[in-house]
Amino acid sequence: MSKQFTQRKSSERRAGNGNEAADLNSREYAVGWPDYELLDAGDGKKLERWGDVVTIRPEIQAHFQPGWTCLDWQARADWEFEELSSTQGTWKKLKPQANEHWQIAYQQLTFGLKLTKFKHVGLFPEQQANWRFIAARVKPGDKVLNLFAYTGAASLVARTHGAEVVHVDSIKQMLDWANDNQARSALTDIKWVLEDALKFAKRELKRGSRYDGIIMDPPAWGLGAKGEKWKLENHLADLIETAHGLMHPGAFLILNTYSPKVELQDLASAAAPCFSRNQSEIKQLWMQSKTGKALLYGNLLRVIA
């Protein structure tokens, strides 16, 4: 699979169909922090504060009434993303002095953010739930492999806790962005790999490499460098099997899914040949807004081997 996609994530980032009725015990909630808040959600959009910058972005999971009015949103927001197609759009400036580039902090880390034509700004804040998990599991000297690694938040969290990190993404601009975040955070020595994530992992398997932690945040769909189609549901079992082969005893695995074709049961079925039920946890990833709206962000597999 080539990760030279036309975009980093599915533009709609939908979760598995039919999961809204899952038992509440299968939910995990990410939480905001001083530099990030999910302010409100509804009517197919979400209102977010990133430091001093407030954005309105499309969100297919926000299929309910928002807590605040449209006028409230417009009064608070600096930018609103307007979709031109299912994959791209433009940002409408709502405040004259709105910044197009800025920085926010998460604990001791610093991330550079900017407006992109794919509606993203360089950080997926719902991943705070996984950053907590990584921080709790990683020990100095652990080897961590971050595949489909984007702008590097998970890599930086692991590195902060003493891990030797291999960060893999096939888009050079993402590696450059992640490297800049490393410098902003006063960290060094992350190994950057510009390559197809799954192909790299398979080569590592042949080389006999082993890791204490593996992080995978693959896109739901996309097009490869030669126009080949990537659909996560077609590669899910291969991703998990390959990760299993790379794991030391006691290692952890994190796999996020945003595909409408990958439900909780699909994750369970794909993980079953490699991991026992008591090694795995399969959850929905949620975040609650300041106005009390619960927003679904996808499905999540975590394993401790």
Side-chain angles (χ1 to χ4, degrees), residues 239-304:
L239 285 170
I240 293 173
E241 182 180 2
T242 302
H244 174 255
L246 290 170
M247 296 168 69
H248 281 306
F252 70 83
L253 167 66
I254 299 170
L255 172 60
N256 295 287
T257 69
Y258 303 95
S259 172
K261 299 294 181 65
V262 178
E263 301 188 15
L264 295 173
Q265 184 55 50
D266 297 321
L267 280 175
S269 297
C274 299
F275 305 105
S276 66
R277 290 185 64 180
N278 62 3
Q279 290 177 309
S280 306
E281 60 176 7
I282 298 170
K283 298 182 175 183
Q284 294 177 331
L285 186 55
W286 293 72
M287 185 177 282
Q288 190 159 326
S289 75
K290 184 176 180 180
T291 58
K293 303 295 180 177
L295 190 59
L296 175 63
Y297 282 88
N299 296 327
L300 171 66
L301 167 70
R302 290 205 196 106
V303 173
I304 298 177

Side-chain angles (χ1 to χ4, degrees), residues 56 58 80-85 88-92 94 117:
I56 300 172
E80 181 171 7
F81 188 84
E82 298 180 335
E83 290 182 305
L84 299 177
S85 70
Q88 295 188 28
T90 61
W91 288 91
K92 178 181 178 182
L94 303 178
K117 62 183 179 179

Side-chain angles (χ1 to χ4, degrees), residues 12-14 20 38 40-47 57-66 73 286 293-297:
E12 295 181 340
R13 291 176 62 86
R14 284 178 277 185
E20 290 80 355
L38 177 61
D40 195 14
D43 290 342
K45 299 178 182 181
K46 56 188 172 184
L47 180 71
R57 299 192 292 164
E59 176 53 67
I60 195 169
Q61 291 294 342
H63 46 71
F64 42 76
Q65 289 291 111
W73 283 39
W286 293 72
K293 303 295 180 177
L295 190 59
L296 175 63
Y297 282 88

Side-chain angles (χ1 to χ4, degrees), residues 199-210 246:
K199 289 179 180 178
F200 176 81
K202 286 181 175 293
R203 275 200 297 276
E204 283 287 88
L205 192 59
K206 290 181 179 179
R207 289 189 282 255
S209 298
R210 296 294 182 269
L246 290 170

